[in-house]
Amino acid sequence: MFSHLSAYFSRGRESDIVRSDHSYCKPWSTHPDASRSRPIRTLLVRMNGKRGTDDEEVDVEHADYGDRTFPTIYDLTKARSLMDECETYSDLVNRKKLGDNWHELIVKDGWSHAQHTLFDKVVSILEGDVLARLAYARDVSEPVMRRLHNDKTAKKVRRVFGDIAWDETLCQWLHATLSDNLSSQLLGVYLDILQVLRSKVPSLVDMMTSASASVLPATSEALALLLKRPWDPAIALTVQSKQRKLTGSPFLVLIPSTPTSPAVPSTRRSRAWHNQLSTLGRVVPVTASSSVYHEGSGVSPDDCAEKMVYVTRCKVQELQGHFNTRPVVLIGWGAGALVACKVTLPAFACI
């Protein structure tokens, strides 16, 4: 620590030709108008230190993580295989070996302002994702970091598509342009994002990729299958020890974050949570009539939220009426958690 301080302050006191000839290199305390500034004073630091001339080369491309071996609760080999599935697919379908100047090879004649703006925003997000992946490449927890970062990047892309109201013409044009011109690395990132969006808004992504048969005719079916199976490092996680039942045999009331419908299947993550919670107590899912939320019904989001609160309260009252000695636990994610908080107001403090 002492040597570093000495070297730092000695650099500031060097009398070289630059400081002698250029006034802007001098400290502010030497300026005539700096009446309240005083020269820096140091304690326990030698002022006659010599500045080193050898600069240490820093490797910014290959990170050395040392002996970082942490136990993982998931299959690391399988997780890495699933993580690289989109990149493997992009290497197979993208035969063109494009370099860093792939932007210049795209013919942009006739593009509208909206097309230019949409293309630049999405490509900027994809390139930022590539740089972020280099920060945790070859780390022991890379699959988990990749999964979390894919969700964040997909959220940014979804916001960009939301700004154009998921215009069918623009979305299909962008998908065809990116599929035909992206490099293998960026195409893999793009497919990762489509996987996440496909699990969130399947109908919109299907609309967007419906014209991909004309772009990749031999692999359109494989692309559809790839987008339908988003990967998760903990999706195949098996519990090593069986969880014990909670005392009191409580009812675990699951509140959905969106209106439910039999036509829309539940996600694998929600089914995994349902299976895990079923080992702790009896799980009671809250469902509302799907006929209330059909498209074009004119029901506002506020009405949907109030309906969900009403259905949840009725379910709680029903359970407490039949089983008044067993506790009731409300569980929800996102909007479901807000519904649970509203139901557990002072009027229902006994829950």
Side-chain angles (χ1 to χ4, degrees), residues 72-82 143 232-234 236-238:
T72 56
I73 59 176
Y74 57 89
D75 190 350
L76 184 59
T77 303
K78 184 177 181 180
R80 290 186 181 276
S81 177
L82 295 174
D232 195 320
L237 179 63
T238 57

Side-chain angles (χ1 to χ4, degrees), residues 1-74:
M1 184 66 182
F2 181 80
S3 60
H4 286 292
L5 289 174
S6 178
Y8 172 78
F9 287 112
S10 63
R11 288 198 299 267
R13 294 296 192 273
E14 284 184 349
S15 177
D16 52 8
I17 190 172
V18 176
R19 179 167 296 181
S20 300
D21 294 343
H22 301 275
S23 58
Y24 56 82
C25 291
K26 297 180 180 180
W28 175 248
S29 59
T30 60
H31 197 275
D33 296 337
S35 58
R36 297 186 179 182
S37 299
R38 297 290 183 268
I40 187 172
R41 298 185 181 277
T42 60
L43 298 176
L44 305 177
V45 176
R46 297 187 299 270
M47 306 308 297
N48 58 349
K50 186 177 181 180
R51 182 181 179 181
T53 57
D54 297 334
D55 295 331
E56 182 181 358
E57 183 178 355
V58 179
D59 186 4
V60 297
E61 182 177 359
H62 302 90
D64 183 15
Y65 295 101
D67 188 16
R68 292 181 57 183
T69 56
F70 302 105
T72 56
I73 59 176
Y74 57 89

Side-chain angles (χ1 to χ4, degrees), residues 199-212:
S199 63
K200 304 294 183 182
V201 281
S203 59
L204 296 178
V205 175
D206 290 342
M207 173 272 298
M208 179 179 176
T209 59
S210 59
S212 61

Side-chain angles (χ1 to χ4, degrees), residues 249-263:
S249 300
F251 288 103
L252 306 179
V253 180
L254 286 182
I255 306 174
S257 58
T258 57
T260 56
S261 174

Side-chain angles (χ1 to χ4, degrees), residues 20-209:
S20 300
D21 294 343
H22 301 275
S23 58
Y24 56 82
C25 291
K26 297 180 180 180
W28 175 248
S29 59
T30 60
H31 197 275
D33 296 337
S35 58
R36 297 186 179 182
S37 299
R38 297 290 183 268
I40 187 172
R41 298 185 181 277
T42 60
L43 298 176
L44 305 177
V45 176
R46 297 187 299 270
M47 306 308 297
N48 58 349
K50 186 177 181 180
R51 182 181 179 181
T53 57
D54 297 334
D55 295 331
E56 182 181 358
E57 183 178 355
V58 179
D59 186 4
V60 297
E61 182 177 359
H62 302 90
D64 183 15
Y65 295 101
D67 188 16
R68 292 181 57 183
T69 56
F70 302 105
T72 56
I73 59 176
Y74 57 89
D75 190 350
L76 184 59
T77 303
K78 184 177 181 180
R80 290 186 181 276
S81 177
L82 295 174
M83 178 184 67
D84 298 333
E85 193 172 15
C86 289
E87 295 182 3
T88 304
Y89 175 85
S90 64
D91 292 336
L92 293 176
V93 301
N94 195 354
R95 301 297 182 181
K96 297 180 294 184
K97 301 300 181 182
L98 303 176
D100 296 335
N101 60 340
W102 64 274
H103 289 273
E104 304 174 0
L105 303 178
I106 303 177
V107 180
K108 301 182 179 179
D109 298 338
W111 284 18
S112 63
H113 176 71
Q115 290 175 333
H116 275 284
T117 303
L118 179 62
F119 179 83
D120 292 340
K121 286 183 178 180
V122 174
V123 170
S124 177
I125 294 174
L126 297 180
E127 290 178 343
D129 188 280
V130 172
L131 294 178
R133 292 185 179 189
L134 296 177
Y136 52 79
R138 293 179 298 275
D139 190 84
V140 292
S141 57
E142 182 181 4
V144 176
M145 294 181 180
R146 174 80 66 85
R147 176 71 269 164
L148 296 176
H149 195 78
N150 283 351
D151 293 339
K152 294 179 181 179
T153 306
K155 185 177 181 180
K156 296 179 182 178
V157 175
R158 185 177 180 180
R159 187 179 296 114
V160 172
F161 288 152
D163 293 339
I164 63 172
W166 286 84
D167 184 83
E168 182 176 356
T169 304
L170 283 177
C171 290
Q172 292 182 355
W173 167 84
L174 178 67
H175 177 70
T177 303
L178 295 179
S179 300
D180 194 39
N181 296 281
L182 284 179
S183 61
S184 298
Q185 188 179 24
L186 287 176
L187 182 59
V189 176
Y190 176 65
L191 295 179
D192 273 331
I193 303 310
L194 286 185
Q195 271 191 343
V196 180
L197 294 179
R198 177 65 174 72
S199 63
K200 304 294 183 182
V201 281
S203 59
L204 296 178
V205 175
D206 290 342
M207 173 272 298
M208 179 179 176
T209 59

